[in-house]
Amino acid sequence: MKKLILMACTAVVLLAGCNTVAGVGQDIQAGGSAIERAAQ
C-alpha cells in the first residue's frame, strides 16, 4: 500500500512539473544533457 501511495505522489509531482507533451520532452532533454555534461 505504501508503495502505491509513493508511486502516486511521484506521478503527481512529475505531471505538475510538465503540463504538456512538449514539457515532458523538454524535461527528458534536460535530463539527457545533464547526464552528458556529467560524463564529460
Side-chain angles (χ1 to χ4, degrees), residues 5-33:
I5 293 171
L6 178 62
M7 289 183 350
C9 290
T10 303
V12 167
V13 169
L14 290 174
L15 291 174
C18 47
N19 295 333
T20 64
V21 175
V24 173
Q26 290 173 351
D27 289 346
I28 292 172
Q29 185 177 12
S33 296

